[in-house]
Amino acid sequence: EMFYQGQKISAEFKANGGFTVSGITTEQFDGISGLVDQNDKTFGINAYRCDINRNAITSPALALGATLFICIDSTDDSAEIKEVTKFEASKS
């Protein structure tokens, strides 16, 4: 459950050596002010082997001692991946 509330204001600033705020007015709130139903959204990601410049690598196989870079991109521009909590790799 989420509640959203806010208030729009406008302010006029005049500064001459000090700081004064005058003429504050408000407008009636026109956002969501009631209960919002809970919704789920699934964000997709693409994970792939890449080089240091984020170019996809499809072959050759990773050599012993080579650095492994894994790029992870969101499929939704409004989502940002901030943390990866688990990573597993296996040899096939």
Side-chain angles (χ1 to χ4, degrees):
E1 296 180 4
M2 290 185 175
F3 288 95
Y4 294 93
Q5 188 170 352
Q7 182 67 44
K8 294 180 182 180
I9 68 164
S10 62
E12 179 182 322
F13 295 92
K14 294 181 181 177
N16 42 339
F19 185 81
T20 304
V21 177
S22 63
I24 295 179
T25 60
T26 63
E27 297 176 24
Q28 183 175 349
F29 179 67
D30 64 355
I32 301 169
S33 60
L35 180 63
V36 176
D37 292 333
Q38 180 178 347
N39 292 309
D40 293 328
K41 177 166 170 102
T42 301
F43 295 97
I45 62 163
N46 292 320
Y48 53 94
R49 183 175 163 214
C50 59
D51 63 18
I52 196 167
N53 297 313
R54 298 187 58 81
N55 298 310
I57 298 175
T58 56
S59 64
L62 188 65
L64 185 61
T67 302
L68 172 65
F69 292 97
I70 301 294
C71 293
I72 302 172
D73 299 319
S74 173
T75 59
D76 187 323
D77 290 338
S78 66
E80 179 181 331
I81 301 166
K82 292 187 176 189
E83 180 180 358
V84 175
T85 57
K86 185 176 181 179
F87 177 82
E88 293 183 23
S90 61
K91 182 178 177 182
S92 57

